Amino acid sequence: WLGLKKIYSITQQGSYLLRIELQDWRGSRRHIEYSFSLGGPSSNFSLQLSRMAGSIPNALPEHAELRFSTRDTARASSCPQNHLGGWWHSECEETNLNGKYVTPRSRGRLDRGKGLYWKPKKGRYYLLKSTKIMIHPTDLKSFD
């Protein structure tokens, strides 16, 4: 994890895309890409997303301001306490890519909810083996 301050500093240099790659326990790999903006420390690193492409249904709210929260900073939401790890929570059910590493043998609902998962509003619950969260400039020519 690079850290929010460093990611914010990078994104202030231009326009970036966010790509999330997910692998489930059956070996399936999927991805989703968003155009995004990331606020600074004064906004709790608020994240705004707009889906661009992908092979998995969206599980994060678009065009909404999602504030990053952790156990020690959560006020209105109990998501970080209930699901471990800091994340951009809107509703506790949609996704947690920064949770506890839980293997498929942990079938208990409580443990599964604390693991790495991706859950679209109307769709399958994906318990994940691995995740990658990457950013890249929208105009790669600027790196020539």
Side-chain angles (χ1 to χ4, degrees):
W1 180 246
L2 187 58
L4 292 170
K5 288 180 182 176
K6 290 179 182 174
I7 294 170
Y8 173 71
S9 177
I10 291 168
T11 61
Q12 295 311 292
Q13 299 172 25
S15 181
Y16 284 78
L17 291 178
L18 174 71
R19 180 180 173 102
I20 299 174
E21 294 183 358
L22 309 172
Q23 180 183 10
D24 68 19
W25 287 91
R26 294 183 178 150
S28 295
R29 294 178 188 267
R30 297 179 181 218
H31 73 279
I32 192 164
E33 290 184 357
Y34 298 95
S35 61
F36 79 103
S37 65
L38 182 66
S42 64
S43 73
N44 289 354
F45 299 98
S46 62
L47 181 67
Q48 291 186 323
L49 302 166
S50 180
R51 186 179 196 272
M52 302 292 289
S55 59
I56 193 168
N58 192 11
L60 293 168
E62 293 184 73
H63 313 293
E65 190 172 298
L66 304 173
R67 293 179 182 262
F68 191 86
S69 59
T70 59
R71 284 181 161 204
D72 59 337
T73 63
R75 292 182 193 120
S77 171
S78 63
C79 297
Q81 285 86 4
N82 294 335
H83 291 21
L84 304 177
W87 189 248
W88 291 274
H89 294 285
S90 65
E91 297 176 23
C92 296
E93 295 296 317
E94 79 277 354
T95 183
N96 187 10
L97 301 185
N98 217 9
K100 183 179 173 184
Y101 194 70
V102 178
T103 64
R105 290 185 210 114
S106 301
R107 294 287 183 203
R109 184 177 224 164
L110 183 62
D111 283 345
R112 187 174 69 187
K114 291 183 179 182
L116 305 175
Y117 65 90
W118 186 266
K119 171 70 172 82
K121 283 270 190 217
K122 295 180 181 177
R124 186 176 162 222
Y125 180 102
Y126 296 93
L127 184 60
L128 302 169
K129 182 177 183 180
S130 68
T131 65
K132 288 183 188 177
I133 303 171
M134 302 170 280
I135 61 172
H136 68 83
T138 56
D139 179 14
L140 292 176
K141 293 177 185 174
S142 64
F143 283 90
D144 289 344

